[in-house]
C-alpha cells in the first residue's frame, strides 16, 4: 500500500533532504583523480553522523545481507549499488554517488553522476540526457497524472538518443522506510500505473546505459553492472506532491556550487 504523507511528514523529509544535499556537497569537494571511493564514503558517513542523522544505506538489509557503507559508489560500467573500495578515480571515469539520510524518522534519497576530468563526448551526452530525463520525469509529477507518465517521459527522452533504459531497477516511494510503494519505473506508458496525488513522496532515479539496457549482478551480491561493459549514469531526486505539484525535496545545489555550474 502507498503511505501518503502529512504536511508534518513532508516537513521532516525536507529537513532530512537538506542534510543529504549538504553531504553530497562535501563529497563533491573530494571527487578528483587520485581519490579512492572509500575516502568519499568516509566523508559522507562523518558528515551525516555529525548532523545527528544516520546514513540510510549503512547496514541496509536485503535478503539477510547488510550493505557495508553510507554511499553506493558506481564507477563506469557499474550501474548502481557499487561498494566503496580502494579503487582510485582516474581521468575519464564517471562516478555515481548515491546517498540516503535518515533524520527524525524519515528518509531522503538522491544520486548524482560526475565526470572525472575529461570524458568521451558520448559519455558527456549520456550524463546530460540522464539528468534531463530526471527533470522531464519530475515535470510529470502532478495531481491527476499517473506513475507511468514519469517512466514514459524518461524512456522517450533517453531512447530517442539511442541509450538503454535499465528495467530491473526502479524508483520508489519513501518516508519512514527507505523503500515503499509505489515502484517508479524509468520506462512505461502514459496513463498507466497508480494515480499521483497530494502527499505522495517518491524517489525518481533514471539509470541509463550508454549501450544496451541489460544488466547483471556481480558476485558480491550488490554491484549491478551493464552486460555490454559500457558506462551507465544515474541521477535521483526525492520529490513530494504538494498543493497538486511536484516539490523537489533533495537538492544538487551544493554539488553544483563545487562544480561551478550552479
Ligand atoms: Mg538512491
Ligand atoms: Mg532510491
Amino acid at each position: 500500500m502507498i503511505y501518503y504523507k502529512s504536511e508534518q511528514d513532508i516537513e521532516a523529509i525536507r529537513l532530512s533532504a537538506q542534510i543529504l544535499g549538504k553531504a553530497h556537497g562535501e563529497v563533491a569537494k573530494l571527487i578528483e583523480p587520485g581519490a579512492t571511493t572509500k575516502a568519499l564514503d568516509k566523508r559522507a558517513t562523518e558528515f551525516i553522523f555529525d548532523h545527528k542523522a544516520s546514513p540510510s544505506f549503512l547496514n541496509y538489509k536485503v535478503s539477510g545481507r547488510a550493505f557495508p557503507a553510507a554511499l553506493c559508489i558506481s564507477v563506469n560500467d557499474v550501474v548502481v549499488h557499487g561498494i566503496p573500495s580502494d579503487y582510485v578515480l582516474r581521468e575519464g571515469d564517471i562516478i555515481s554517488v548515491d546517498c540516503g539520510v535518515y533524520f527524525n524518522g524519515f528518509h531522503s534519497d538522491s544520486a548524482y553522476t560526475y565526470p572525472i576530468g575529461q570524458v568521451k563526448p558520448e559519455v558527456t551526452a549520456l550524463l546530460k540526457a540522464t539528468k534531463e530525463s530526471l527533470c522531464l520525469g519530475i515535470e510529470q509529477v502532478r495531481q491527476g497524472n499517473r506513475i507511468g507518465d514519469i517512466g514514459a517521459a524518461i524512456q522517450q527522452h533517453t531512447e530517442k538518443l539511442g541509450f538503454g533504459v535499465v528495467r530491473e531497477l526502479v524508483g520508489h516511494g519513501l518516508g519512514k522506510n527507505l523503500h515503499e510503494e509505489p515502484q517508479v519505473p524509468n520506462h512505461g506508458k502514459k496513463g498507466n500505473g497508480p494515480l499521483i496525488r497530494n502527499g505522495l513522496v517518491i524517489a525518481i532515479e533514471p539509470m541509463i546505459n550508454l549501450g544496451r539496457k541489460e544488466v547483471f549482478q556481480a558476485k558480491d551480491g550488490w554491484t549491478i553492472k551493464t552486460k555490454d561493459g559500457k558506462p551507465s549514469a544515474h541521477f535521483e531526486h526525492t520529490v513530494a506532491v504538494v498543493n497538486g505539484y511536484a516539490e523537489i525535496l533533495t537538492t544538487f545545489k551544493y554539488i553544483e556550487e563545487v562544480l561551478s555550474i550552479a
Side-chain angles (χ1 to χ4, degrees):
M1 77 172 257
I2 298 173
Y3 299 105
Y4 294 94
K5 276 73 183 176
S6 67
E7 277 178 40
Q8 293 94 313
D9 295 343
I10 291 173
E11 179 56 21
I13 303 173
R14 262 187 213 109
L15 297 176
S16 172
Q18 277 302 313
I19 298 170
L20 173 56
K22 290 175 185 169
H24 267 296
E26 289 303 305
V27 171
K29 291 176 188 170
L30 303 178
I31 295 181
E32 59 184 5
T36 65
T37 58
K38 240 185 201 168
L40 309 182
D41 183 63
K42 182 169 175 279
R43 182 69 194 111
T45 305
E46 285 167 359
F47 184 88
I48 293 166
F49 281 124
D50 282 350
H51 288 76
K52 301 184 172 27
S54 54
S56 302
F57 304 166
L58 183 63
N59 294 319
Y60 184 77
K61 287 185 184 62
V62 175
S63 319
R65 289 173 299 106
F67 191 77
L71 300 180
C72 292
I73 299 188
S74 304
V75 179
N76 297 334
D77 62 328
V78 178
V79 180
V80 285
H81 304 167
I83 300 171
S85 70
D86 295 321
Y87 179 83
V88 177
L89 295 175
R90 298 188 298 199
E91 174 102 12
D93 284 344
I94 58 169
I95 171 183
S96 143
V97 175
D98 191 355
C99 189
V101 163
Y102 183 71
F103 181 69
N104 274 347
F106 287 88
H107 294 276
S108 54
D109 188 4
S110 77
Y112 196 94
T113 303
Y114 302 77
I116 308 297
Q118 204 66 30
V119 302
K120 290 180 181 162
E122 65 263 35
V123 176
T124 301
L126 172 71
L127 297 181
K128 178 170 178 280
T130 306
K131 196 175 173 204
E132 285 167 353
S133 78
L134 172 59
C135 296
L136 292 169
I138 293 169
E139 278 177 18
Q140 294 299 317
V141 177
R142 69 180 88 103
Q143 182 136 287
N145 274 12
R146 290 186 179 271
I147 292 292
D149 299 346
I150 300 169
I154 292 168
Q155 181 179 17
Q156 195 201 10
H157 184 65
T158 52
E159 282 189 350
K160 82 171 180 231
L161 296 166
F163 300 133
V165 179
V166 174
R167 303 296 204 268
E168 289 85 346
L169 298 131
V170 296
H172 50 93
L174 72 167
K176 289 182 177 165
N177 308 291
L178 179 60
H179 295 109
E180 297 180 356
E181 288 182 43
Q183 293 201 346
V184 183
N186 296 307
H187 67 288
K189 282 207 176 83
K190 255 190 126 25
N192 277 10
L195 204 55
I196 293 170
R197 66 168 177 85
N198 283 330
L200 183 73
V201 178
I202 51 175
I204 302 177
E205 49 179 314
M207 289 156 258
I208 309 295
N209 298 345
L210 181 64
R212 297 182 55 83
K213 66 181 186 298
E214 287 77 18
V215 299
F216 71 99
Q217 190 172 56
K219 288 204 182 87
D220 63 19
W222 293 104
T223 308
I224 305 290
K225 295 176 140 188
T226 59
K227 271 195 185 164
D228 64 10
K230 292 184 179 173
S232 182
H234 178 213
F235 287 85
E236 177 180 27
H237 269 314
T238 298
V239 177
V241 186
V242 179
N243 297 324
Y245 289 95
E247 178 184 329
I248 303 172
L249 301 179
T250 44
T251 178
F252 296 152
K253 181 180 138 194
Y254 302 100
I255 292 174
E256 296 187 338
E257 279 175 9
V258 174
L259 300 179
S260 303
I261 55 174

Short mmCIF file of all heavy atoms in Angstrom, two decimals, residues 15 111 140-141 239 259:
data_model
loop_
_atom_site.label_atom_id
_atom_site.label_comp_id
_atom_site.label_asym_id
_atom_site.label_seq_id
_atom_site.Cartn_x
_atom_site.Cartn_y
_atom_site.Cartn_z
N LEU A 15 13.81 18.34 5.92
CA LEU A 15 14.99 18.53 6.79
C LEU A 15 16.01 17.44 6.53
O LEU A 15 17.22 17.70 6.46
CB LEU A 15 14.56 18.54 8.26
CG LEU A 15 13.61 19.69 8.64
CD1 LEU A 15 13.17 19.55 10.10
CD2 LEU A 15 14.28 21.04 8.42
N ALA A 111 20.96 10.94 -5.88
CA ALA A 111 22.18 10.47 -6.54
C ALA A 111 22.58 11.43 -7.65
O ALA A 111 21.73 12.10 -8.26
CB ALA A 111 21.96 9.08 -7.13
N GLN A 140 6.33 15.49 -14.83
CA GLN A 140 5.09 14.72 -14.92
C GLN A 140 4.41 14.52 -13.56
O GLN A 140 3.30 13.99 -13.48
CB GLN A 140 5.36 13.33 -15.54
CG GLN A 140 5.80 13.40 -16.99
CD GLN A 140 4.74 14.02 -17.88
OE1 GLN A 140 3.55 13.72 -17.75
NE2 GLN A 140 5.15 14.90 -18.77
N VAL A 141 5.11 14.90 -12.49
CA VAL A 141 4.58 14.69 -11.15
C VAL A 141 3.61 15.81 -10.81
O VAL A 141 4.01 16.94 -10.51
CB VAL A 141 5.73 14.63 -10.10
CG1 VAL A 141 5.16 14.49 -8.70
CG2 VAL A 141 6.67 13.48 -10.43
N VAL A 239 11.03 13.56 -4.37
CA VAL A 239 10.02 14.54 -4.81
C VAL A 239 8.71 14.29 -4.05
O VAL A 239 8.29 13.14 -3.90
CB VAL A 239 9.77 14.36 -6.33
CG1 VAL A 239 8.67 15.29 -6.82
CG2 VAL A 239 11.06 14.58 -7.12
N LEU A 259 31.07 22.21 -8.33
CA LEU A 259 31.41 22.00 -9.74
C LEU A 259 31.41 23.32 -10.52
O LEU A 259 31.75 23.33 -11.71
CB LEU A 259 30.42 21.03 -10.40
CG LEU A 259 30.33 19.63 -9.79
CD1 LEU A 259 29.28 18.80 -10.54
CD2 LEU A 259 31.67 18.92 -9.82
#
